[in-house]
């Protein structure tokens, strides 16, 4: 992956994983890559990979099960798919 010099690497990697969640590569309740897997795939430090997972968790896209790893949170329906309040 070519990193843009003006954007923190953790944000760029988080964007890649966010897109994978949104496109269904990682469906709801499936495991997302671990810190070790992220460091290997993207060539970043472990602390940077940890920031990636923390960022996704803060956004509500993932949750962590202690001792098991991080998983994709349930995805709400897109605004166009939600029932009308009328």
């Amino acid at each position: 992956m070519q990193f843009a010099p003006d954007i923190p690497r953790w944000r760029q990697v988080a964007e890649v994983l966010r897109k994978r969640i949104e496109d269904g590569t990682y469906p709801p309740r499936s495991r997302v890559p671990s810190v070790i897997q992220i460091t290997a795939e993207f060539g970043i430090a472990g602390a940077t990979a940890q920031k990636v997972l923390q960022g996704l968790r803060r956004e509500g896209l993932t949750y962590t099960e202690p001792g098991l790893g991080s998983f994709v949170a349930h995805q709400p329906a897109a605004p166009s798919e939600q029932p009308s309040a009328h």
Side-chain angles (χ1 to χ4, degrees):
M1 176 175 180
Q2 289 284 70
F3 291 105
D6 56 338
I7 302 170
R9 287 184 178 191
W10 76 268
R11 289 188 185 273
Q12 295 178 65
V13 173
E15 180 63 23
V16 170
L17 296 182
R18 185 180 306 107
K19 286 180 180 177
R20 291 178 185 175
I21 290 169
E22 291 170 356
D23 74 12
T25 300
Y26 304 136
R29 294 180 298 284
S30 70
R31 187 172 290 171
V32 296
S34 67
V35 168
I36 292 170
Q37 291 168 322
I38 292 170
T39 61
E41 180 177 350
F42 296 98
I44 58 176
T48 305
Q50 188 64 41
K51 277 184 99 167
V52 170
L53 292 176
Q54 289 170 348
L56 294 173
R57 200 167 34 249
R58 273 195 309 271
E59 290 180 43
L61 294 173
T62 63
Y63 63 94
T64 300
E65 289 285 338
L68 296 176
S70 294
F71 299 84
V72 177
H74 173 71
Q75 297 292 300
S80 62
E81 297 174 8
Q82 292 182 2
S84 174
H86 301 279

